Amino acid sequence: MLDIRNINVYYGAIHALEDVTVKVEPGEIVAIIGSNGAGKSTLLRTISGLLRPRTGTMSFKGKDLTTMAPHDIVRAGISHSPEGRRIFTNMSVHENLQLGAFIRKDAGVADDMEHVLKRFPRLRERFKQNSGTMSGGEQQMLAIGRALMARPEILLLDEPSLGLAPNLVTEIFNIVLDLNKEGTTILLVEQNANRALEIAHRAYVLETGKIVLSDTGKSLLANPKVKEAYLGG
Ligand SMILES: Nc1ncnc2c1ncn2[C@@H]1O[C@H](COP(=O)(O)OP(=O)(O)OP(=O)(O)O)[C@@H](O)[C@H]1O
Ligand SMILES: [Mg+2]
């Protein structure tokens, strides 16, 4: 479904991704784990078209992504819930959700809004509230809800559990599992490697811009190198 082959991405002279190859099949949850600065967010930003690979290829369902405009990438079925939430804090919950559907002209937007509000009852309670005044967890839910309003086939999630209390982390991971069961393919970036590997069908370990390991989530959870470096020994 998503086929990233040998991409090289730079920020000026900084070589942020080196020959990165990642594949995602329909229906999978694929996790990318790695330390701060490994290049996880860079990878998602490149898939979304916000950064361009200098070399390498990227395709989604056979369509070339390397030169596609970001809004066309959303239209093709790829939606990104970015790190740090990046919601429009001066707008209401309702307005943020509407913006998530900006590429759509179909009649299903209202139904999808209802679906998102059912999944996140808190967003319904806060529908007219200025989103900047919501808690961190509520803002995270809004960021995911907004990404879902594009009705994606694949959802790119950048650190959805960052900064949340443990019970909310569990809730977010359960939501990711539910979305996947309903048919959304997931590419999940997480520093919470334990939780991510538990729910991922497959995962990749990114170290300073390079993929150093890839395997099933289960195998990586049991891998001594991964345990030592990412799972607290
Ligand atoms: N706009 C930028 N300009 C220059 N360098 C950047 C820029 N954005 C990221 N980098 C560098 O690229 C590298 C990868 O950053 P990236 O944000 O992808 O890491 P990450 O794995 O998402 O880290 P974290 O877990 O902290 O979110 C880092 O060394 C970072 O400093
Ligand atoms: Mg990041």
Side-chain angles (χ1 to χ4, degrees):
M1 186 185 206
L2 182 64
D3 190 355
I4 312 294
R5 285 194 203 181
N6 297 103
I7 60 165
N8 284 280
V9 177
Y10 296 78
Y11 294 106
I14 298 170
H15 196 170
L17 293 179
E18 260 184 87
D19 286 324
V20 167
T21 294
V22 167
K23 290 192 172 96
V24 184
E25 301 295 343
E28 280 192 309
I29 298 178
V30 172
I32 310 284
I33 62 167
S35 316
N36 289 121
K40 304 180 299 297
S41 299
T42 300
L43 175 60
L44 296 193
R45 287 200 288 263
T46 307
I47 296 168
S48 296
L50 304 173
L51 295 167
R52 297 295 182 189
R54 197 174 287 178
T55 59
T57 61
M58 306 195 295
S59 69
F60 179 65
K61 298 201 300 182
K63 283 184 207 156
D64 180 21
L65 293 180
T66 47
T67 54
M68 206 185 276
H71 60 269
D72 287 328
I73 292 177
V74 178
R75 206 167 271 140
I78 300 177
S79 185
H80 187 175
S81 172
E83 185 179 9
R85 299 157 195 145
R86 300 290 171 96
I87 56 169
F88 298 96
T89 51
N90 55 343
M91 292 184 179
S92 69
V93 169
H94 182 196
E95 288 164 333
N96 269 277
L97 290 175
Q98 277 178 325
L99 281 170
F102 79 100
I103 48 130
R104 294 175 53 187
K105 292 187 182 77
D106 62 275
V109 173
D111 282 353
D112 286 357
M113 176 95 65
E114 183 54 31
H115 196 68
V116 167
L117 295 175
K118 272 214 178 85
R119 179 172 297 293
F120 300 104
R122 190 66 69 86
L123 297 184
R124 194 193 299 278
E125 285 167 27
R126 308 289 155 121
F127 202 54
K128 295 289 170 207
Q129 184 170 325
N130 189 313
S131 61
T133 61
M134 297 205 300
S135 76
E138 290 165 350
Q139 291 190 17
Q140 185 59 66
M141 289 174 188
L142 180 56
I144 298 173
R146 185 183 60 184
L148 289 174
M149 287 301 295
R151 200 183 269 185
E153 290 177 55
I154 181 165
L155 181 60
L156 313 180
L157 288 172
D158 197 344
E159 310 263 13
S161 78
L162 192 70
L164 303 186
N167 60 337
L168 211 49
V169 171
T170 301
E171 192 176 333
I172 293 282
F173 276 93
N174 283 337
I175 286 166
V176 173
L177 273 173
D178 276 358
L179 291 172
N180 180 249
K181 281 185 194 132
E182 285 179 4
T184 309
T185 304
I186 310 270
L187 182 58
L188 170 69
V189 158
E190 263 295 337
Q191 276 191 58
N192 192 334
N194 243 313
R195 293 292 192 98
L197 294 178
E198 276 169 11
I199 68 163
H201 299 105
R202 293 186 305 109
Y204 295 83
V205 180
L206 193 57
E207 264 175 24
T208 51
K210 290 187 193 133
I211 301 285
V212 294
L213 272 173
S214 78
D215 209 332
T216 62
K218 268 206 185 90
S219 305
L220 288 177
L221 269 177
N223 182 311
K225 276 188 208 152
V226 174
K227 275 189 178 169
E228 193 189 326
Y230 301 103
L231 305 175

